[in-house]
Amino acid sequence: MPMDGLTLSFVARELQKALVGGRVDKISQPERDELNILVRNQGRNQLLLLSASAGCARAHITREKKVSPLEPPMLCMLLRKHISGGRVRDVRQINGDRILEIEFEHLDELGDSARKILICEFMGRHSNLILVDGEGRILECARRVTESMSSVREVLPGLRYERPPEHGKTPFDAPEADIVRALQGASGPLHKAIAGAISGLSVQTARELAFRAAGNEDAHTQELDMSSIAPAVARALSEVQSQTAPALLFAENGEPVDVVAFAYLSRAALRSERFETISEAMDAFYRARDRAERIKQKSAALHRVLKNNIERCERKLALQKEALLGSERMEEYRVKGELLTASLHLAQKGMKSVTIPNYYEEGAPGLEVQLDEKLSPGQNAQRYFKLYQKARSAKRLAAEQVEKTTEELDYLEGQMLNLSACEEESELAELREELEKYGYVRKNHNRRQMKKLEPSKPMRFDSPTGIPILVGKNNLQNDKLTSTAEPNEWWLHAKDMPGSHVIVLSADPDEETLHMAARLAARYSKGASAGKVPIDMTRRRYVKKPAGAKPGFVIYTNQKTVLAEPWEG
């Protein structure tokens, strides 16, 4: 569920218990819209995550430590200046809305007690993290909002902080009588009436309340007696606020689809996993989702670069093949030049063409040869020899260019495949570094350059008989896998197409293990969408890397080829 006001109320109570009174030990800003604040409280370290990401805006305690930029952004520097060593004095939700305030007390430059407030607005693409002083003036924010961006409210350093405009709804934590009054006279689907009348409720929460009050989340107000349904909704809303039951909900395929702060009776059919705290549940749910979203954002530019270069190579290759076809008249020019030289007496200057015997064919039939009337017969013969030499050179050059462009296209398509397999920032950084090396991407001189990441690691699978199988996810991993494998271990790769290097960590694997390795090689290749993929397999000792070859490129011998269906495990 999104971070609606009701969910935030659970989070606020949890954070208040975990953080209030604690000392701020460390602050980092791994992303432009994300803060990590380490608070030492009650003998424990609590790492607070605050995210204003459009798709994953949230606040909770996390266990995941992210790599920070070499030079911290302004918001991070100001937070370090003002609240490092300070104490968390309060964590509060504002008016049941999606706004969380964290108040800090610290000593200023003069040694006097001062306070700062970090305001977290969780409002979809308008989410923001705003640091204000004790007088309510903005010191810095994750997203600056100018007048040209919003005519409703500016968010800039130096301005007085103003809360987002209210929409006239009744807060979810209002007295029951106010909620009943807000629902009286409502029309349309019940869940829409609830979401439209009560602030701080997402559509999912509104549907759950409709289910609890009317027994049907799709119930319509025209079919209900709202004089009895409205109080039922108010009672259900009051009940869920005290029914803390953090959990993850899973789809039939095992993928987590939602995180909830209380039990959803309307989704009881879904498999669920309970957690001790809402922070643990949110951390588990958003960890993979947030990482995938970040990787998608950061890989978008590389995807465009690769796509543009692949299209450039495809256009160039088409022109080069066309030039190669145009050179097919090479033999025609040679034959005409030789025959004309042997029959110069039949041609005269000023003739546009001449028919001469073709000794290269049986019976020497006549062959019409076009002439340049301004040239002598001998000069016309030399002209044909020059055309032959030119066509031969063009054919040789075009063939070399076609080979070179084909190699570049295979390399780029392989990098596009590697990009699609990136799951960690270290993998993305390695791929970008390689593209920088070969001039496809300009070197990153961004001031927010990240600290050196740990080297990425290949994927590991275990066969049914327990033999490890390693699969590279980029060219750097492929090179390392192949170079460090034992000579008699098995090496696999998709035949004549980009793909991962696969190593079976055994000199004598069983057929079931080799079959699984072949399917993995098919899964992580360009042909993964095909029904079956040809896979080459050979001993590692028969795989060589040519001197000066690009990362990931090898040659091999003594292979056998099998057809394998892509792995789906």
Side-chain angles (χ1 to χ4, degrees):
M1 78 165 44
M3 180 66 83
D4 65 2
L6 182 57
T7 302
L8 186 57
S9 69
F10 288 91
V11 173
R13 291 197 296 268
E14 188 173 288
L15 295 183
Q16 189 173 51
K17 183 178 179 180
L19 303 179
V20 170
R23 185 186 70 249
V24 177
D25 276 355
K26 189 176 180 180
I27 303 165
S28 62
Q29 189 173 351
E31 306 288 348
R32 181 177 66 91
D33 53 8
E34 183 177 308
L35 287 170
N36 287 167
I37 302 176
L38 183 65
V39 178
R40 180 74 177 175
N41 193 28
Q42 301 171 8
R44 297 180 61 186
N45 288 331
Q46 306 281 10
L47 183 59
L48 173 64
L49 182 150
L50 301 171
S51 173
S53 168
C56 305
R58 65 197 189 278
H60 58 83
I61 304 297
T62 183
R63 292 182 179 179
E64 185 175 15
K65 296 180 181 179
K66 294 187 177 181
V67 178
S68 299
L70 291 174
E71 184 173 338
M74 183 60 69
L75 176 59
C76 182
M77 289 193 291
L78 284 172
L79 281 166
R80 290 176 179 176
K81 174 184 176 182
H82 289 292
I83 69 172
S84 286
R87 296 278 176 178
V88 179
R89 283 306 173 204
D90 194 15
V91 178
R92 53 183 175 263
Q93 182 184 19
I94 305 302
N95 297 334
D97 207 345
R98 296 163 293 170
I99 302 175
L100 184 74
E101 290 188 354
I102 306 174
E103 184 177 334
F104 301 91
E105 184 178 16
H106 66 101
L107 298 179
D108 60 18
E109 294 87 346
L110 300 177
D112 296 328
S113 178
R115 71 185 184 103
K116 299 292 184 295
I117 300 174
L118 184 57
I119 303 171
C120 312
E121 298 178 349
F122 304 116
M123 299 181 176
R125 62 190 181 91
H126 300 296
S127 298
N128 210 342
L129 304 173
I130 307 166
L131 178 65
V132 303
D133 62 18
E135 297 179 353
R137 292 200 176 276
I138 299 173
L139 296 176
E140 189 53 273
C141 49
R143 288 192 176 94
R144 296 187 177 187
V145 182
T146 64
E147 186 179 8
S148 61
M149 298 167 64
S150 172
S151 59
V152 177
R153 184 179 67 135
E154 290 183 84
V155 182
L156 294 170
L159 298 182
R160 182 169 291 279
Y161 171 76
E162 295 181 5
R163 288 180 182 150
E166 298 181 359
H167 299 287
K169 298 181 181 179
T170 300
F172 73 85
D173 53 357
E176 180 177 324
D178 292 348
I179 293 175
V180 170
R181 194 179 306 112
L183 289 172
Q184 292 292 349
S187 60
L190 179 58
H191 71 273
K192 288 188 177 180
I194 294 171
I198 305 171
S199 68
L201 301 184
S202 64
V203 174
Q204 295 95 315
T205 302
R207 296 183 73 92
E208 170 65 15
L209 294 176
F211 181 84
R212 290 187 177 221
N216 181 4
E217 58 183 314
D218 293 313
H220 202 285
T221 56
Q222 293 178 346
E223 303 166 354
L224 302 169
D225 179 8
M226 290 303 292
S227 62
S228 61
I229 291 296
V233 170
R235 287 193 299 273
L237 184 54
S238 177
E239 290 171 359
V240 298
Q241 292 181 55
S242 59
Q243 296 176 350
T244 307
L248 283 186
L249 303 182
F250 296 87
E252 292 182 0
N253 61 3
E255 291 292 321
V257 294
D258 210 347
V259 56
V260 295
F262 57 90
Y264 269 54
L265 304 182
S266 59
R267 306 173 81 175
L270 295 180
R271 183 174 72 83
S272 64
E273 179 183 350
R274 288 288 304 274
F275 289 83
E276 288 296 322
T277 65
I278 185 65
S279 285
E280 291 176 352
M282 294 179 75
D283 204 30
F285 179 74
Y286 283 108
R287 187 182 298 119
R289 178 178 170 180
D290 189 43
R291 185 185 299 118
E293 185 68 24
R294 297 292 186 189
I295 291 294
K296 182 179 178 181
Q297 292 173 358
K298 293 180 179 181
S299 65
L302 292 182
H303 187 277
R304 285 194 300 270
V305 168
L306 289 172
K307 182 174 181 290
N308 291 339
N309 278 281
I310 286 173
E311 291 175 350
R312 172 185 59 80
C313 282
E314 288 174 340
R315 291 192 298 268
K316 187 164 69 171
L317 189 60
L319 293 173
Q320 290 167 351
K321 287 183 175 179
E322 186 178 336
L324 193 59
L325 290 173
S327 66
E328 290 182 348
R329 297 189 64 188
M330 177 180 71
E331 286 302 309
E332 176 191 341
Y333 296 145
R334 182 185 64 80
V335 169
K336 287 183 176 180
E338 291 179 354
L339 292 177
L340 188 57
T341 300
S343 304
L344 289 177
H345 62 284
L346 297 178
Q348 296 181 5
K349 187 175 183 178
M351 295 177 64
K352 292 185 177 180
S353 66
V354 63
T355 301
I356 55 179
N358 184 358
Y359 302 113
Y360 289 99
E361 294 187 13
E362 188 176 353
L367 175 66
E368 184 178 8
V369 178
Q370 301 298 319
L371 301 174
D372 187 334
E373 53 191 288
K374 296 178 183 179
L375 303 177
S376 68
Q379 290 173 327
N380 269 295
Q382 290 300 314
R383 182 172 70 88
Y384 275 107
F385 284 128
K386 288 179 180 177
L387 287 173
Y388 164 70
Q389 293 291 347
K390 185 177 180 180
R392 187 174 68 171
S393 298
K395 182 177 182 179
R396 183 172 62 251
L397 180 61
E400 291 173 356
Q401 290 176 335
V402 165
E403 182 180 2
K404 185 178 179 181
T405 304
T406 301
E407 288 179 0
E408 183 182 10
L409 185 58
D410 287 343
Y411 172 76
L412 292 168
E413 288 179 338
Q415 289 292 57
M416 184 68 90
L417 185 67
N418 293 337
L419 183 64
S420 66
C422 285
E423 296 178 347
E424 303 288 344
E425 285 200 38
S426 56
E427 297 165 359
L428 198 61
E430 289 168 355
L431 193 149
R432 181 185 177 89
E433 187 176 348
E434 184 179 328
L435 292 176
E436 287 178 357
K437 179 180 178 181
Y438 291 102
Y440 293 105
V441 179
R442 285 184 293 182
K443 288 192 175 182
N444 187 6
H445 298 293
N446 189 345
R447 293 175 61 197
R448 291 199 71 241
Q449 183 179 2
M450 304 302 286
K451 295 177 182 177
K452 189 66 177 178
L453 298 167
E454 291 291 327
S456 63
K457 296 180 181 180
M459 293 176 283
R460 175 182 170 131
F461 300 85
D462 290 322
S463 74
T465 54
I467 297 176
I469 302 172
L470 302 182
V471 181
K473 296 175 71 175
N474 58 39
N475 289 339
L476 188 66
Q477 289 183 12
N478 288 335
D479 278 351
K480 188 173 182 180
L481 270 180
T482 302
S483 64
T484 57
E486 295 297 325
N488 283 332
E489 290 177 342
W490 284 90
W491 179 93
L492 298 90
H493 192 280
K495 182 179 179 64
D496 298 330
M497 68 179 72
S500 296
H501 294 201
V502 177
I503 297 291
V504 178
L505 298 182
S506 172
D508 187 27
D510 55 279
E511 286 298 320
E512 197 172 4
T513 296
L514 284 177
H515 179 65
M516 178 178 174
R519 293 189 64 191
L520 287 169
R523 167 65 181 86
Y524 296 101
S525 74
K526 186 182 177 183
S529 59
K532 289 191 175 182
V533 182
I535 303 297
D536 285 339
M537 60 174 69
T538 187
R539 298 282 185 179
R540 160 64 188 88
R541 65 174 179 268
Y542 299 122
V543 182
K544 308 294 181 185
K545 185 173 184 65
K550 286 184 176 179
F553 181 81
V554 294
I555 55 177
Y556 52 91
T557 56
N558 295 76
Q559 73 273 18
K560 65 177 181 180
T561 304
V562 298
L563 289 176
E565 295 180 355
W567 180 260
E568 296 179 356

